[in-house]
Amino acid sequence: MLCGVAANEYMAATIGRTQVDTGLFKATMFADPTVGIDVCLQATLVIIVAGTLAGLGPALKAARVRPIEALNEF
């Protein structure tokens, strides 16, 4: 999270006031680069759940293998 804050501050300092004209509207990049603590907590929770679900399949498969068979593979 600290690296994200540092990257956001760097981009705000270098290209933070760049005007973008899409033809439909004009916008200023990084005009208000704030993120609430609730968004940080939600993102952390999503990462934890995704990591748990991604690791569950291989862990269950490895739990079904007998240790002597796993050692025989080497």
Side-chain angles (χ1 to χ4, degrees), residues 4-74:
V5 171
N8 195 2
E9 290 298 323
Y10 173 75
M11 288 187 288
T14 56
I15 60 172
R17 300 292 174 228
T18 304
Q19 288 283 336
V20 178
D21 185 8
T22 64
L24 297 174
F25 61 91
K26 291 182 181 180
T28 303
M29 295 179 62
F30 299 103
D32 187 17
T34 58
V35 176
I37 191 71
D38 58 332
V39 174
C40 293
L41 293 176
Q42 289 173 355
T44 302
L45 182 63
V46 167
I47 289 170
I48 290 171
V49 169
T52 301
L53 292 177
L56 191 60
L60 291 174
K61 184 177 178 182
R64 290 188 195 113
V65 176
R66 291 182 27 198
I68 195 69
E69 290 175 8
L71 290 174
N72 246 353
E73 299 275 331
F74 291 108

